[in-house]
């Protein structure tokens, strides 16, 4: 018996910058998880992922579990929380600019 479908977002890495990106409802790539499309239907998730994987602006697109948060999707796994905050070896990028509050 298969597991029931849980809400997902599509994530990947920007091809040129390497930043973590997310697929929005309009099919654009955004850098804030809160702006990502939260997908509640398995067929829709597969359709959106297939389209995302054809896009030449991203590499490694995949579905990941997410939950509906106060300001939009929130990660349900530590890996995705880590990815959205950026590298942790020293403050730079998202951590340095304080963009964490907007992710």
């Amino acid at each position: 018996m298969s597991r029931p479908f849980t809400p997902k977002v599509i994530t990947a890495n920007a091809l040129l910058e390497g930043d973590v990106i997310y697929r929005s409802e309009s099919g654009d790539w955004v850098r804030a998880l809160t702006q990502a499309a939260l997908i509640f239907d398995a067929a829709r998730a597969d359709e959106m992922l297939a389209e995302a994987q054809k896009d030449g602006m991203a590499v490694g697109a995949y579905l990941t579990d997410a939950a509906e948060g106060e300001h939009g999707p929130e990660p349900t796994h530590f890996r995705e929380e880590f990815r959205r905050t950026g590298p942790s070896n020293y403050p730079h990028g998202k951590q340095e600019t304080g963009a964490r509050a907007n992710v």
Side-chain angles (χ1 to χ4, degrees):
M1 186 167 156
S2 64
R3 294 183 349 183
F5 185 81
T6 57
K8 311 269 190 246
V9 296
I10 297 172
T11 185
N13 289 90
L15 184 60
L16 297 178
E17 300 89 358
D19 292 345
V20 174
I21 53 178
Y22 306 94
R23 197 71 164 187
S24 72
E25 192 62 48
S26 65
D28 296 323
W29 290 108
V30 295
R31 285 179 164 68
L33 177 57
T34 57
Q35 297 173 351
L38 188 58
I39 310 162
F40 294 92
D41 177 73
R44 177 85 171 120
D46 290 341
E47 177 185 305
M48 288 181 71
L49 180 59
E51 286 299 315
Q53 290 173 331
K54 293 179 193 174
D55 191 324
M57 301 301 295
V59 63
Y62 64 93
L63 292 166
T64 187
D65 290 331
E68 200 164 3
E70 187 177 331
H71 301 289
E74 292 288 333
T76 60
H77 192 274
F78 72 89
R79 179 180 191 267
E80 296 307 320
E81 176 64 29
F82 180 80
R83 286 185 75 239
R84 82 172 178 162
T85 58
S88 62
N89 54 347
Y90 59 90
H92 62 285
K94 292 178 187 177
Q95 294 173 348
E96 183 178 44
T97 62
R100 169 68 176 91
N102 297 322
V103 294

